[in-house]
Amino acid sequence: MKQICQSKYEQETSEHEYEFLEQQIAYYNLPSQSFECSTISHHPSIDSIQNLTIREALMKQFKEVAIQSRNALFNLYLESAEDQREEYKKKHEASVKKMDASQSTLNENEKLSSTLVQLINERCNKISERIQSIYKFKLENFLSKSNL
């Protein structure tokens, strides 16, 4: 039971973390979060260059590198979160299969009662609801801070 509940917790957390990350990335890709709106785009050393052609060329190159780096970082975050999500999903499925398999191979005295199996399923559902509530709050908090 502990193993199934723990794997359910990890699966739900990684699933909601992935979705939360996607929403954060979508926010940071909004026009209001563009390079031009960021503090990094107004760097004193670039602004101090007197030659307009050199300053614009340097600023263009600076912008391209910053955008490429941000996109690469976002992709790395998503890839890592996806890998973790898949790993925990497989782990939970394996735990459930293990319990189901043991139910069919054990003798009557060793089998889990149907009530206990139902309680395990209910506990997993409560874990899912709890994690969902946590990430709903987390997203609302993120969005409210973002709109300031």
Side-chain angles (χ1 to χ4, degrees), residues 38-141:
S38 70
T39 55
I40 195 171
S41 69
H42 306 290
H43 198 276
S45 26
I46 292 178
D47 293 338
S48 68
I49 298 172
Q50 299 297 321
N51 185 317
L52 186 62
T53 308
I54 293 174
R55 184 175 0 145
E56 287 175 352
L58 191 56
M59 183 54 104
K60 181 181 176 193
Q61 193 175 22
F62 185 47
K63 178 182 176 180
E64 288 171 2
V65 168
I67 291 171
Q68 285 175 356
S69 298
R70 186 176 86 162
N71 290 338
L73 193 58
F74 286 167
N75 289 335
L76 186 61
Y77 285 159
L78 279 174
E79 186 179 315
S80 176
E82 175 66 25
D83 290 346
Q84 188 174 38
R85 182 171 81 161
E86 286 300 314
E87 176 187 337
Y88 287 133
K89 181 180 178 184
K90 288 176 185 172
K91 183 179 174 184
H92 179 67
E93 288 171 354
S95 295
V96 171
K97 282 181 184 176
K98 184 178 175 184
M99 180 184 74
D100 291 343
S102 70
Q103 287 294 89
S104 62
T105 59
L106 295 173
N107 67 42
E108 288 302 315
N109 293 336
E110 296 173 323
K111 285 185 179 181
L112 298 174
S113 70
S114 61
T115 305
L116 186 56
V117 172
Q118 183 182 357
L119 286 172
I120 292 170
N121 288 330
E122 287 179 26
R123 176 72 180 130
C124 286
N125 290 338
K126 291 294 181 192
I127 289 170
S128 296
E129 290 171 12
R130 181 174 155 241
I131 299 297
Q132 186 175 1
S133 294
I134 289 169
Y135 277 88
K136 182 180 177 189
F137 173 77
K138 208 171 174 180
L139 179 61
E140 289 171 358
N141 190 35

